[in-house]
């Protein structure tokens, strides 16, 4: 079964029994030098991130995904942002303050990305992360939010 065909099958089946194996394969592909393999793995991750039963496994890839946010390829970055957005759709998803801070810091440079889709996804993800953190009563991000608002304002004003 090829990887592209496997992702089509993933959309139709309960992933609980296969998720560890699939996530291990995806994790290896994320580290690949090949752009095509990384994009394919990320497309699979976008599909998987819609399934709440796989959320814990995807959370284990958070650090790798945040490192890939620095990629110059707009498609790669947009796919990663989509994975994070899908993960946060389930409001029960827990996000620690250190992870939220790290993600917020990684998102700020994307507000000015050349790719408008990446800009919009990064702004939406930033908003969702801040709302989730504030909903949980975590105030340590207050200073970072303030620092991010000015670049965000300029980005929105330019649009």
């Amino acid at each position: 079964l090829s990887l592209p065909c496997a992702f089509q099958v993933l959309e139709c089946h309960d992933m609980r029994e296969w998720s560890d194996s699939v996530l291990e394969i995806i994790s290896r592909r994320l580290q690949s030098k090949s752009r095509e393999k990384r994009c394919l793995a990320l497309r699979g991750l976008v599909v998987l991130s819609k399934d709440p039963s796989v959320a814990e496994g995807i959370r284990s890839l958070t650090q790798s995904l945040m490192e890939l946010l620095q990629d110059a390829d707009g498609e790669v970055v947009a796919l990663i942002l989509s994975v994070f957005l899908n993960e946060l759709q389930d409001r029960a998803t827990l996000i620690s303050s250190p992870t939220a801070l790290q993600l917020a810091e990684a998102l700020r440079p994307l507000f000015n990305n050349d790719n408008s889709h990446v800009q919009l996804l990064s702004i939406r993800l930033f908003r969702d992360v801040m709302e989730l953190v504030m909903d949980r009563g975590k105030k340590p991000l207050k200073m970072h939010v303030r620092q991010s608002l000015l670049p965000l304002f300029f980005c929105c004003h330019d649009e």
Side-chain angles (χ1 to χ4, degrees), residues 90-105:
D90 176 16
R91 285 301 197 176
T93 298
L94 297 176
I95 186 166
S96 67
S97 289
T99 301
L101 180 59
Q102 192 176 10
L103 186 55
E105 288 174 357

Side-chain angles (χ1 to χ4, degrees), residues 9 15 29 39 41 44 52 74 88 115 124 137 146 155:
V9 171
M15 279 305 302
R29 295 296 185 262
C39 283
L88 290 179
N115 184 322
R124 186 170 151 215
R146 287 180 181 160
C155 177

Side-chain angles (χ1 to χ4, degrees), residues 4-155:
C5 293
F7 292 136
Q8 291 174 349
V9 171
L10 293 178
E11 292 180 317
C12 303
H13 288 85
D14 181 10
M15 279 305 302
R16 280 172 256 181
E17 57 190 80
W18 300 351
S19 65
D20 291 340
S21 306
V22 172
L23 288 172
E24 184 179 320
I25 292 168
I26 287 175
S27 178
R28 285 194 307 260
R29 295 296 185 262
L30 288 175
Q31 305 308 317
S32 174
K33 299 284 184 210
S34 166
R35 176 195 180 278
E36 290 78 20
K37 287 181 182 178
R38 280 195 321 272
C39 283
L40 185 59
L42 288 167
R43 284 188 198 105
L45 217 55
V46 169
V47 171
L48 288 173
S49 65
K50 295 175 185 174
D51 185 344
S53 69
V54 188
E56 188 63 38
I58 292 176
R59 244 179 262 128
S60 69
L61 299 174
T62 299
Q63 194 60 44
S64 297
L65 293 172
M66 280 200 270
E67 290 169 9
L68 285 173
L69 278 176
Q70 307 306 314
D71 198 298
D73 187 327
E75 182 182 3
V76 168
V77 174
L79 288 167
I80 294 167
L81 294 171
S82 295
V83 170
F84 283 132
L85 283 165
N86 287 344
E87 281 289 292
L88 290 179
Q89 289 304 310
D90 176 16
R91 285 301 197 176
T93 298
L94 297 176
I95 186 166
S96 67
S97 289
T99 301
L101 180 59
Q102 192 176 10
L103 186 55
E105 288 174 357
L107 291 173
R108 193 174 349 159
L110 299 177
F111 296 163
N112 295 321
N113 193 286
D114 293 337
N115 184 322
S116 62
H117 185 61
V118 169
Q119 284 180 354
L120 292 173
L121 288 173
S122 65
I123 291 168
R124 186 170 151 215
L125 180 57
F126 182 82
R127 183 200 66 209
D128 288 357
V129 168
M130 293 304 115
E131 285 177 0
L132 187 61
V133 169
M134 293 307 170
D135 286 349
R136 302 227 186 264
K138 297 178 182 175
K139 303 292 183 193
L141 296 173
K142 193 177 209 177
M143 180 58 87
H144 185 75
V145 170
R146 287 180 181 160
Q147 291 172 344
S148 298
L149 289 177
L150 188 59
L152 184 57
F153 171 77
F154 286 132
C155 177

